[in-house]
Amino acid sequence: LSAGDRLPPERELKETLKTSRSTLREALRVLEQKGLIEMRLGMGGGAVVRSVSTKQVSQSLGLLIRSQKVSLEQLAEFRERFEGDIAALAASRAKGRDTTRLHALLDQAKSHAEGGDDQIEHFLAVDKEIHLYFARMTDNPIYITILKTVHQNINQYFKKYLMMATREMKQNLADLYSVVEAIEKGDQEGARRLAQAHVRRFNANMERHRRGEMTDVGVGTQ
C-alpha cells in the first residue's frame, strides 16, 4: 500500500485476517500511534496510509533523550563520534555560501561571548545553530534529523550538569573557529579531530559538575 491508499473496511479485514474485532482495532490503534496510518471520519473515512517521514524517528529519539534513558557518558560517546563524522563530511561538501553563513554565525557567537555571563543562553543557542548547520552541509537527512533531535532535547542534561561562564564561552568559540577553518580548507580529518575535541571538552565540563554533585550527595549521606 502506498501513501494515501485506504485500508479495506474493518469487516473485510477481520475476515481476511481471521481475527476478532477487538484485536483488529488494537492493531489499527498501534499503527496510528506509530504514525503509519491515520483514521479519518465521515463519508469515505477509515484507515488511510500516511507517508513515512523522519518525524517518527525524531519523536522516539527525542523521548529517549528527554527521559534520560541514556547516561551522560553514553550521550557524550555518541556525540563525539557522530559530530566528528558530520564535520568531516561538511569539509568535503562545503560551498562558498556555507562558509559565509558559518562566519555570520561565528560573529553572533563572538558578540555573546564578549557580553559576559548573562549571555550564556544566547551563546548556546547560536552554538546549536552552528552544529546544525554543519549537519545541513552533509546533505544527508539522517545526519540532519538525528543531530537536530539530539540538540533539541539535550537541555535536560544542560540544566543538571552544565557549568559555563565567560571563560568557557570563549574556549568554545575558539574551538568553533578552528572547526570552521578546517572545513573551509576542506581538511576532513582535521575537521573531524577538532569537532571531536570540541564536543569532548564540552562534555568534560558537564562530567566534572556531575561528579561534584555526586560527591556532595555522598558527603551529605554519611
Side-chain angles (χ1 to χ4, degrees):
L1 294 171
S2 303
D5 289 346
R6 296 181 191 280
L7 271 65
E10 279 191 20
R11 180 180 297 176
E12 184 179 332
L13 278 173
K14 187 166 70 73
E15 293 174 357
T16 301
L17 299 172
K18 303 287 190 291
T19 190
S20 68
R21 185 178 183 185
S22 61
T23 299
L24 176 63
R25 289 194 168 181
E26 176 64 13
L28 292 172
R29 186 192 67 79
V30 172
L31 289 174
E32 183 179 27
Q33 188 179 54
K34 290 179 179 294
L36 299 173
I37 64 171
E38 63 175 310
M39 303 302 294
R40 295 180 183 174
L41 303 176
M43 289 291 291
V48 179
V49 178
R50 296 183 63 181
S51 60
V52 178
S53 70
T54 57
K55 184 178 180 181
Q56 290 94 328
V57 176
S58 177
Q59 289 174 339
S60 298
L61 180 58
L63 181 61
L64 181 71
I65 296 170
R66 286 196 306 276
S67 59
Q68 297 185 42
K69 296 298 184 182
V70 292
S71 67
L72 181 62
E73 293 89 348
Q74 290 167 334
L75 186 61
E77 180 181 63
F78 171 78
R79 286 191 61 209
E80 183 178 329
R81 287 157 178 77
F82 189 67
E83 298 207 33
D85 286 345
I86 286 174
L89 277 173
S92 71
R93 299 173 183 176
K95 302 176 179 65
R97 66 176 182 271
D98 293 325
T99 53
T100 299
R101 175 58 180 159
L102 285 172
H103 277 286
L105 289 169
L106 286 173
D107 287 343
Q108 291 180 38
K110 182 180 179 182
S111 175
H112 295 311
E114 292 175 345
D117 293 355
D118 61 346
Q119 292 291 306
I120 290 170
E121 286 190 17
H122 298 297
F123 177 85
L124 288 173
V126 179
D127 177 273
K128 179 174 78 172
E129 281 300 309
I130 292 171
H131 284 271
L132 294 179
Y133 199 85
F134 291 158
R136 283 194 284 272
M137 290 170 68
T138 70
D139 272 335
N140 186 320
I142 301 175
Y143 278 114
I144 296 167
T145 299
I146 293 177
L147 191 73
K148 184 176 181 181
T149 303
V150 169
H151 278 271
Q152 284 178 337
N153 292 282
I154 203 172
N155 283 345
Q156 296 291 334
Y157 295 85
F158 287 176
K159 289 175 183 177
K160 286 185 68 174
Y161 304 125
L162 183 62
M163 295 289 287
M164 180 174 277
T166 299
R167 184 183 67 177
E168 287 77 20
M169 281 195 290
K170 289 184 176 180
Q171 179 62 70
N172 268 30
L173 181 63
D175 288 348
L176 292 171
Y177 269 110
S178 297
V179 176
V180 171
E181 183 180 0
I183 287 174
E184 283 184 296
K185 293 177 178 177
D187 180 0
Q188 296 179 50
E189 289 311 309
R192 183 196 307 277
R193 175 176 50 79
L194 290 164
Q196 289 179 332
H198 169 63
V199 174
R200 193 180 306 122
R201 184 179 290 110
F202 194 88
N203 288 325
N205 181 320
M206 290 195 286
E207 183 62 28
R208 282 194 299 272
H209 184 214
R210 185 185 74 84
R211 288 179 178 174
E213 190 177 78
M214 288 175 63
T215 301
D216 291 342
V217 170
V219 169
T221 55
Q222 288 179 356

